[in-house]
Amino acid sequence: MRILVSNDDGIASRGLKALVEAVTPLAEVWVVAPESEQSAASHALSLHRPLRAREVQPRWFAVDGTPADCVYMAVHHLMKDERPKLVVSGINHGPNLADDVIYSGTVAAAMEGSLLGVPAIAFSLVSRRQFEFEHAAKFAGALAKAALANPMPDRTLLNVNVPSHGPPEGYEITRLGRHHYTGDVIEKEDPRGRRYYWIGGTGYEHEKAEGTDVTAVLDHRRVSITPLQLDLTEQKMIETLRAWQLEGFLQVK
Ligand code: MN
């Protein structure tokens, strides 16, 4: 049995190593991870340039692409003779809470696994500096074992966030919460006199609401496990949208 490990922080990251060690007792571990940092790469695929896969050691490959490229390459090519039974992604150096899942390369790697029919889990350590992976890795190994023993519904994945600095205060099954980053845009001038911009806010606030991932981790120091689905359809808006009566838009005179 095979487990595929990927991430978005790159092949050399400490979080990846911690996750590999955690799942090694469970199955034959394969690693296909980005050659370089791909955080916030989301679910991009490199369709318009060649990809290189560098074999670092047996069953370890660094791909010069995105997290989704890595999982695609692994399942469709590198591991095609025997597909993985589980994809685990991480352990990310930083949180993937609330809307972060939209931008996250860590979550995208797991999502790609799920799209290809392989159960998948994304793991993130909720810290901004100082990353101690001990507790997160222990939990990851146990949850990966549970995911192998229990069937997961088609086109779903788990998003796991672990609090940092010491053992967590238990765990909670959650829904995605809400949070807000300040929308900073820093404007400067490069050495040739041209303007450049640096985006990404540093200020952060989360909504306090019981049952959400942000509150579980940030207010209660619990491990948060959120089941995610790939169907983005907003069911409740289907009827609303029908009432817009757009037939006239198609009439050509
Ligand atoms: Mn990352």
Side-chain angles (χ1 to χ4, degrees):
M1 183 169 61
R2 293 175 169 180
I3 291 179
L4 169 63
V5 184
S6 193
N7 76 347
D8 76 356
D9 297 324
I11 191 94
S13 89
R14 285 176 49 229
L16 180 81
K17 191 162 173 282
L19 185 53
V20 167
E21 284 168 8
V23 298
T24 290
L26 304 177
E28 181 182 277
V29 175
W30 285 62
V31 176
V32 184
E35 187 78 73
S36 61
E37 163 94 42
Q38 295 288 320
S39 293
S42 187
H43 209 123
L45 282 179
S46 304
L47 299 180
H48 304 288
R49 66 174 183 86
L51 287 171
R52 308 278 178 190
R54 179 171 65 89
E55 190 168 4
V56 178
Q57 64 188 65
R59 300 193 299 273
W60 279 65
F61 296 87
V63 174
D64 65 342
T66 65
D69 288 336
C70 291
V71 173
Y72 180 106
M73 278 277 291
V75 173
H76 286 306
H77 184 70
L78 300 166
M79 302 173 74
K80 67 178 178 229
D81 56 323
E82 188 190 331
R83 287 161 68 95
K85 283 279 187 294
L86 181 70
V87 173
V88 289
S89 177
I91 299 168
N92 189 55
H93 293 232
N96 277 306
L97 296 162
D99 290 348
D100 293 343
V101 302
I102 305 288
Y103 303 95
S104 171
T106 307
V107 174
M111 222 175 245
E112 183 64 14
S114 182
L115 278 170
L116 301 178
V118 184
I121 315 174
F123 294 99
S124 303
L125 183 67
V126 181
S127 180
R128 292 288 172 195
R129 36 188 87 87
Q130 276 204 321
F131 296 95
E132 294 301 332
F133 291 100
E134 185 191 355
H135 297 288
K138 194 172 171 210
F139 192 85
L143 185 61
K145 191 175 178 187
L148 288 168
N150 295 282
M152 273 170 58
D154 206 26
R155 296 172 70 86
T156 59
L157 59 146
L158 303 179
N159 185 44
V160 179
N161 282 272
V162 182
S164 61
H165 306 100
E169 308 277 339
Y171 78 96
E172 196 176 324
I173 309 301
T174 58
R175 65 181 188 276
L176 295 179
R178 292 279 182 91
H179 64 188
H180 174 75
Y181 295 94
T182 50
D184 305 1
V185 179
I186 309 291
E187 180 180 313
K188 298 213 170 190
E189 206 170 81
D190 74 16
R192 307 226 163 105
R194 298 188 315 168
R195 286 185 201 297
Y196 69 88
Y197 302 90
W198 205 284
I199 65 166
T202 47
Y204 179 86
E205 272 176 29
H206 72 278
E207 190 177 278
K208 292 184 195 311
E210 292 303 324
T212 63
D213 57 349
V214 281
T215 289
V217 177
L218 302 173
D219 299 326
H220 302 313
R221 296 203 75 257
R222 293 179 190 139
V223 175
S224 163
I225 309 174
T226 311
L228 301 178
Q229 59 173 349
L230 298 175
D231 184 351
L232 296 177
T233 310
E234 170 50 292
Q235 296 290 343
K236 295 191 292 293
M237 203 181 165
I238 288 179
E239 282 311 311
T240 313
L241 210 44
R242 280 186 179 135
W244 285 20
Q245 299 186 322
L246 307 175
E247 290 84 354
F249 290 14
L250 294 171
Q251 286 169 12
V252 181
K253 285 243 172 86

